[in-house]
Amino acid sequence: MRLVRLYDMKVLSPVVMDNISLDFCRRSKAAAVGFTVVFAILLLKPISTSPEFLLLDRVAASLAIICSTTRLFLAVKISRGGLETMYRWANLHSLVIVISTTCMGILCTLGFWDPQNPDSKIFVTSFIVSAIMAGSATSLALKPRISIYFLVMVGIVPGMFLAFSTHQGDLPYGVWTIFVFTFVVYVYGNSREFYHSMVTRYETEEALNIEKQNLTSAIQQLKTTQDELLNQKSRAEYSAKLASLGEMAGGIAHEINTPLNVILLSAEQQLEILEEEIIDKDLMKESIQKVQSTTNRIAAIVRGLRTFARDGTKDPMEPTSLQMLIDNTMSLCYEKFKLNNVDLRLPPPTDLVINCRSVQISQVLLNLLNNSFEAIREQPVKWIEIGLQDLGEQVEIRITDSGLGIQPEIQAEIFRPFYTTKEIGKGTGLGLSISRGLIEAHHGQLFVDSERPNTCFVIRLPK
């Protein structure tokens, strides 16, 4: 950190100081051109009249031209090269400004001090002093030390020589001196205000850049967190589906095992019929038809399992028979309910059609049926009822079981991800959360009907 001890005692950050220094070099270009022109005129038209002052006058003017030209070259070079070039040439740039300022101070002092100078040259010198100070108020203000040195060398020192000079002209030299000092104070005040305004500007820009960087970093961190959450959600949903498949595995074994036993018994019966001398065609036909229907039953189970296991997120929304959805879902759990003495109450056949992704709706129905089964499997009275109702623009599906309802405090949490009332290791807490998400993706609703005496989940879907 660097201290600015002129103008104020404020501590500025390196970034602000660098910006001020770079701006100082950029503004130096126009001032260097003006100084070069002034010094060239003073070289051709010396401001001194006395022969003993002329040599010093020309040397100062010549050196000032060289320094101003060098200043212009360095200012252009730094403006084009930026901070890296400024770090390399900033000291030399400041040095040539100090030298040219010293030369200007010498020339103005000679103009005021030379006793042979007429009032016209005194007036011209005063004009040069005021014009140069006014023109340099902003170009040098960003370097307080150089600015103070400039005002002292170009304003105060020549003014003091004017106050003690011996001229025979008619100008009020005392009043003129007061005018010069007053103008120095005025220029100093303007330079100070300009410096403060530029400092405020660059501090504001730095604060805005910092806030922008912080905001960009926060946005990037938020995007990273969002991506991580999406990945975790995908993994959790996948784990939940695997858990559901695992829960179904035992049930599927029963679902397929019973039809296979029917097929085996029918095959044995057909062999016995074929061994008899007189074949009972009616009995044979009945046995074959039983094998046919049982095989269709197994095919339905496999079809339903494939439907549930497949990812349907990219499937198009298309008209689907609600009866087919129920049949496919029931093929995966009917036998499990039967073996556990669950009274399954199905709706009468329906011709209702909804616009949906059939895979996802089947997954939701199966999840709700499995939840009902787990909730009532240890109860003395076990039944699950599926109800359908046409609401006009919507279709309502109700899954009610013999449970005694869900407590209000649990209803408020039941659809929250990872919330579960099951024992550890028996539930992920994602089934209902994912199910609600799938239904809402269909512009529908999934909620608990708390007015029913039994546990009742309601699905409402647009047609």
Side-chain angles (χ1 to χ4, degrees):
M1 306 292 285
R2 293 178 243 175
L3 286 176
V4 178
R5 300 186 182 277
L6 300 173
Y7 293 166
D8 59 19
M9 296 294 291
K10 191 173 185 179
V11 178
L12 303 181
S13 70
V15 174
V16 173
M17 290 299 297
D18 286 342
N19 285 329
I20 289 177
S21 298
L22 189 58
D23 195 4
F24 169 74
C25 295
R26 289 169 178 165
R27 294 174 183 273
S28 185
K29 291 184 290 184
V33 173
F35 268 79
T36 303
V37 172
V38 171
F39 289 133
I41 294 174
L42 292 179
L43 182 62
L44 296 175
K45 297 289 184 177
I47 201 169
S48 299
T49 304
S50 302
E52 61 269 24
F53 292 150
L54 282 177
L55 178 60
L56 180 59
D57 189 304
R58 292 183 182 279
V59 170
S62 300
L63 182 58
I65 290 175
I66 295 172
C67 289
S68 295
T69 305
T70 305
R71 175 187 179 184
L72 176 61
F73 170 77
L74 292 174
V76 172
K77 188 178 183 66
I78 292 172
S79 297
R80 292 176 178 175
L83 289 175
E84 185 176 350
T85 306
M86 186 193 74
Y87 294 146
R88 186 181 303 171
W89 299 106
N91 291 335
L92 180 59
H93 178 254
S94 298
L95 177 62
V96 295
I97 292 177
V98 170
I99 295 174
S100 64
T101 297
T102 304
C103 293
M104 175 58 74
I106 292 173
L107 292 173
C108 293
T109 300
L110 292 176
F112 283 148
W113 181 251
D114 189 348
Q116 295 187 18
N117 273 356
D119 286 350
S120 60
K121 284 197 173 184
I122 298 295
F123 180 80
V124 169
T125 303
S126 301
F127 175 78
I128 292 174
V129 169
S130 59
I132 290 295
M133 282 196 298
S136 300
T138 56
S139 63
L140 297 180
L142 298 182
K143 284 290 184 180
R145 290 185 176 87
I146 294 179
S147 181
I148 293 295
Y149 180 77
F150 175 83
L151 293 176
V152 171
M153 288 301 301
V154 178
I156 295 177
V157 173
M160 292 180 63
F161 273 87
L162 177 62
F164 294 101
S165 64
T166 55
H167 293 285
Q168 303 302 317
D170 297 328
L171 287 174
Y173 301 112
V175 175
W176 212 259
T177 301
I178 294 174
F179 165 75
V180 172
F181 286 162
T182 302
F183 198 73
V184 168
V185 174
Y186 171 76
V187 172
Y188 169 77
N190 281 352
S191 299
R192 185 173 182 273
E193 290 299 321
F194 180 77
Y195 173 80
H196 281 300
S197 66
M198 295 304 294
V199 167
T200 301
R201 169 189 167 184
Y202 285 120
E203 285 181 331
T204 302
E205 288 182 358
E206 182 187 20
L208 288 175
N209 287 332
I210 291 174
E211 288 299 321
K212 182 179 178 181
Q213 292 173 2
N214 291 339
L215 183 59
T216 302
S217 177
I219 291 174
Q220 186 61 42
Q221 186 175 359
L222 182 61
K223 289 177 65 178
T224 301
T225 303
Q226 186 180 25
D227 291 341
E228 290 178 356
L229 288 175
L230 289 175
N231 290 335
Q232 290 177 4
K233 180 183 177 184
S234 298
R235 290 194 294 268
E237 290 179 354
Y238 182 71
S239 298
K241 183 175 287 188
L242 288 180
S244 298
L245 287 173
E247 292 174 3
M248 284 196 305
I252 295 299
H254 290 296
E255 299 288 340
I256 296 179
N257 190 51
T258 300
L260 287 177
N261 287 333
V262 172
I263 293 174
L264 181 60
L265 292 174
S266 297
E268 291 176 352
Q269 185 183 29
Q270 291 171 21
L271 288 175
E272 291 177 357
I273 293 173
L274 291 174
E275 287 177 356
E276 296 178 359
E277 293 181 1
I278 300 174
I279 298 176
D280 188 342
K281 291 183 178 181
D282 292 335
L283 186 59
M284 188 71 171
K285 182 179 179 180
E286 181 183 349
S287 179
I288 292 174
Q289 287 175 344
K290 187 180 292 186
V291 170
Q292 259 185 333
S293 63
T294 307
T295 304
N296 290 333
R297 165 75 178 147
I298 294 175
I301 294 172
V302 173
R303 184 169 59 251
L305 182 59
R306 289 176 61 189
T307 297
F308 180 82
R310 191 170 64 82
D311 182 10
T313 55
K314 297 183 180 180
D315 289 356
M317 302 278 283
E318 56 186 5
T320 305
S321 166
L322 194 55
Q323 186 64 51
M324 184 192 74
L325 291 175
I326 294 175
D327 290 342
N328 287 344
T329 304
M330 295 311 304
S331 67
L332 298 177
C333 58
Y334 181 84
E335 197 67 28
K336 177 174 69 173
F337 292 162
K338 183 179 178 181
L339 290 173
N340 286 274
N341 298 318
V342 176
D343 180 14
L344 188 59
R345 303 170 184 177
L346 298 177
T350 179
D351 57 357
L352 289 174
V353 175
I354 57 174
N355 195 44
C356 68
R357 298 182 182 92
S358 58
V359 172
Q360 294 182 339
I361 301 303
S362 294
Q363 291 170 354
V364 172
L365 291 175
L366 185 62
N367 181 62
L368 293 177
L369 289 169
N370 281 334
N371 284 350
S372 294
F373 175 78
E374 292 295 333
I376 66 171
R377 67 185 305 174
E378 302 298 333
Q379 293 185 4
V381 178
K382 296 179 284 188
W383 56 264
I384 297 175
E385 179 181 12
I386 301 177
L388 299 178
Q389 186 175 358
D390 187 353
L391 301 180
E393 295 183 355
Q394 289 183 316
V395 171
E396 183 176 273
I397 307 171
R398 288 180 173 268
I399 298 179
T400 311
D401 59 53
S402 56
L404 300 179
I406 301 174
Q407 298 176 2
E409 60 272 17
I410 296 179
Q411 286 187 31
E413 300 287 337
I414 200 169
F415 291 104
R416 183 168 57 83
F418 303 107
Y419 180 84
T420 180
T421 57
K422 297 178 182 179
E423 297 178 10
I424 297 176
K426 292 189 177 181
T428 61
L430 286 169
L432 287 175
S433 172
I434 295 173
S435 294
R436 172 175 270 187
L438 293 177
I439 295 300
E440 289 178 348
H442 284 73
H443 307 289
Q445 296 173 287
L446 172 59
F447 58 93
V448 178
D449 187 351
S450 57
E451 296 181 359
R452 290 293 185 94
N454 300 105
T455 305
C456 179
F457 284 87
V458 181
I459 300 172
R460 286 181 182 166
L461 291 168
K463 289 185 178 179

